[in-house]
Amino acid sequence: MIYIEDQMIKLNGVTLPGLVKSIEIVDTAKIDEQEVEGSATKPKQATGYDDAVITIEMIIDRTSTQTVYDRLSVLVSVFRQPGQTVPQPIPIVCQATAAHNIDKVIFKKLSHKYDNKHDQLTVNIELVQNVPQTIVAVSAAQSYAAVGTPNSSANTVTDATNTALTQTYQKYLGNGRGKSPARDTASTAKARKRLEKMKR
């Protein structure tokens, strides 16, 4: 967890080393500009919000028992634990972030610069607001059935339709379809002669 109390930041109960010089929060909206032919102005369309970015600048000095790099290692372990491959969301408690309705962040960036003259480190921390996304999971069986499997309801309807079509078509192909006009008139002797001439 991250706590900010009286200019002190704590992660997982460990006070971050050094003096916090500044905390900056940038919260922006997503705006799309539309191109309109023949118009000098570009209509703007709001589409949502970007995740807020929190930047913390700190100064780390040596102590009687620790070097600046010993103290920096505390930040490094918070940024990435040994064996960690994916950054994890971290709860944050702070007046500044609370004003922006931010309660979870991801530790995105950690950088430092050594000042040889003063034997101190200037450290920059970048955090990004974490907004959990709700994802509706669909089982493989359901998604497979949707595209059509032998057991899917969609295929059952299709099979029933095909069966009905086959039966109807078989009935159509039966003897009850009637006869061609030439055969219908072939009952008379004249008609039979005409039919014979047509065949030649």
Side-chain angles (χ1 to χ4, degrees), residues 52-65:
V53 178
I54 303 106
T55 305
I56 302 171
E57 186 179 359
M58 301 177 63
I59 297 293
I60 296 180
D61 292 305
R62 67 163 50 247
T63 65
S64 57
T65 57

Side-chain angles (χ1 to χ4, degrees), residues 92-143:
I92 183 169
V93 178
C94 168
Q95 279 188 331
T97 55
H100 288 259
N101 298 315
I102 300 169
D103 57 5
K104 285 198 177 236
V105 295
I106 293 175
F107 203 147
K108 181 181 178 182
K109 185 177 178 181
L110 172 64
S111 64
H112 75 272
K113 183 178 179 181
Y114 180 67
D115 182 349
N116 189 41
K117 182 178 179 181
H118 299 97
D119 191 22
Q120 62 183 200
L121 297 175
T122 300
V123 177
N124 287 288
I125 296 171
E126 186 176 321
L127 309 169
V128 178
Q129 179 184 13
N130 179 65
V131 180
Q133 299 295 325
T134 304
I135 300 174
V136 179
V138 178
S139 69
Q142 288 175 327
S143 61

Side-chain angles (χ1 to χ4, degrees), residues 116-184:
N116 189 41
K117 182 178 179 181
H118 299 97
D119 191 22
Q120 62 183 200
L121 297 175
T122 300
V123 177
N124 287 288
I125 296 171
E126 186 176 321
L127 309 169
V128 178
Q129 179 184 13
N130 179 65
V131 180
Q133 299 295 325
T134 304
I135 300 174
V136 179
V138 178
S139 69
Q142 288 175 327
S143 61
Y144 198 58
V147 297
T149 62
N151 297 325
S152 71
S153 59
N155 266 10
T156 304
V157 173
T158 304
D159 291 344
T161 304
N162 287 341
T163 303
L165 181 61
T166 303
Q167 290 172 351
T168 305
Y169 188 63
Q170 290 297 335
K171 191 173 182 182
Y172 167 75
L173 292 177
N175 293 329
R177 289 189 301 154
K179 299 176 182 177
S180 69
R183 288 189 176 274
D184 287 342

